[in-house]
């Protein structure tokens, strides 16, 4: 059974804090993604990584950074959390190949107060 | 970059009716189009996908059609059941060397008994 696991289901952080969201996959996938899910806006791509130490900006990278030191782990970092970053964050992984399925983590609901 | 539009945002049907969700994409180089279902409180999961060299694909009560010329694709659910109630996302995968998925804004389907 394939697994993408996010470290926290719920997080509450204060404005200005540095926040780390962790994601681990056990499928040896090359590609990993961080999406943000907001009502009416769908899934918006923040950052993605196609290999260890490689990263690319998605559509909404401002205020975020990422780290991929190991193939199975992809971290999303909020450098200085703000209230407009309150959202559901979804990690996904996908193997190489144009027609492959993406597998999602269970999501982390982050509230910044 | 790729942009995916999805309609309607909400759809209410009676059990047994059919439901159709439509998406349009902007990048003619996109060649893979999956559909994900997200039940309340759960992660998105792939329900069906279609490649650009195929016009239609069916899996029991669900089907997807693709019109490459018009750059739109649709999800069809027949004989809807209450357990089909969920948020459905369409996506497109640009052929840019990165295996990212660009998602639509989602459709909330409600099937009433």
């Amino acid at each position: 059974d394939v697994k993408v696991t996010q470290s926290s289901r719920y997080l509450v952080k204060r404005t200005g804090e540095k926040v780390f969201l962790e994601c681990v996959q056990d499928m040896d996938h090359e590609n990993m993604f961080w999406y943000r899910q907001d009502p009416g806006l769908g899934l918006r791509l923040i950052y993605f990584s196609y290999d260890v130490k490689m990263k690319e900006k998605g559509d909404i990278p401002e205020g975020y950074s990422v780290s991929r030191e190991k193939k199975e782990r992809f971290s999303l970092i909020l450098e200085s959390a703000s209230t407009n970053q309150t959202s559901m964050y979804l990690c996904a992984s996908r193997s190489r190949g144009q027609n492959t399925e993406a597998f999602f983590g269970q999501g982390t609901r982050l509230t910044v107060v | 970059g790729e942009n995916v539009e999805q309609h309607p945002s909400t759809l209410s049907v009676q059990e047994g009716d059919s439901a159709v969700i439509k998406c349009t994409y902007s990048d003619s180089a996109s060649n893979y189009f999956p559909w994900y279902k997200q039940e309340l409180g759960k992660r998105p999961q792939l329900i069906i996908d279609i490649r650009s060299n195929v016009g239609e694909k069916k899996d029991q009560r669900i089907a997807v059609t693709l019109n490459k010329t018009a750059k739109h694709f649709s999800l069809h659910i027949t004989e809807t059941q209450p357990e089909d109630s969920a948020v459905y996302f369409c996506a497109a995968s640009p052929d840019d060397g990165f295996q990212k998925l660009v998602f639509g804004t989602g459709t909330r389907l409600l099937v009433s008994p």
Side-chain angles (χ1 to χ4, degrees), chain B residues 2-50:
Chain B
E2 175 65 278
N3 181 55
V4 177
E5 295 189 358
Q6 182 172 349
H7 300 280
S9 57
T10 58
L11 180 59
S12 294
V13 300
Q14 292 293 121
E15 184 176 359
D17 287 350
S18 294
V20 180
I21 303 170
K22 298 181 179 181
C23 290
T24 60
Y25 62 99
S26 61
D27 187 349
S28 57
S30 289
N31 55 17
Y32 174 66
F33 306 92
W35 286 87
Y36 284 78
K37 176 183 180 182
Q38 186 179 30
E39 296 176 355
L40 189 63
K42 296 190 176 181
R43 69 192 75 193
Q45 291 193 299
L46 179 72
I47 55 170
I48 195 167
D49 56 14
I50 192 167

Side-chain angles (χ1 to χ4, degrees), chain B residues 4-13 18-24 35-37 47 62-65 72-77 80 84 86-91 104-110:
Chain B
V4 177
E5 295 189 358
Q6 182 172 349
H7 300 280
S9 57
T10 58
L11 180 59
S12 294
V13 300
S18 294
V20 180
I21 303 170
K22 298 181 179 181
C23 290
T24 60
W35 286 87
Y36 284 78
K37 176 183 180 182
I47 55 170
I62 60 173
V64 58
T65 58
H72 67 70
F73 56 113
S74 300
L75 177 71
H76 304 254
I77 306 174
T80 55
D84 294 328
V87 178
Y88 292 81
F89 293 99
C90 62
T105 50
T107 296
R108 182 174 298 279
L109 174 65
L110 177 61

Side-chain angles (χ1 to χ4, degrees), chain A residues 4 9 31 33 35 37 40-43 45 48 50 56 90 94 96-102 104-106, chain B residues 31-32 36 38 41-46 49 51 89 93-96 98-106:
Chain A
V4 180
R9 193 70 191 263
N31 302 293
F33 309 86
Y35 289 92
Q37 182 175 13
L41 298 178
L43 303 174
L45 183 62
F48 64 100
Y50 53 92
E56 291 286 335
L90 286 165
R94 193 179 179 206
R96 283 213 179 107
Q98 198 60 24
N99 304 319
T100 58
E101 179 178 355
F104 283 86
Q106 77 276 29
Chain B
N31 55 17
Y32 174 66
Y36 284 78
Q38 186 179 30
K42 296 190 176 181
R43 69 192 75 193
Q45 291 193 299
L46 179 72
D49 56 14
R51 305 173 188 181
F89 293 99
S93 184
D95 188 16
D96 58 3
F98 302 117
Q99 282 82 44
K100 64 184 180 183
L101 290 174
V102 179
F103 285 86
T105 50

Side-chain angles (χ1 to χ4, degrees), chain B residues 48-60:
Chain B
I48 195 167
D49 56 14
I50 192 167
R51 305 173 188 181
S52 61
N53 59 349
V54 176
E56 183 173 359
K57 183 177 179 180
K58 191 173 182 180
D59 183 3
Q60 298 183 331

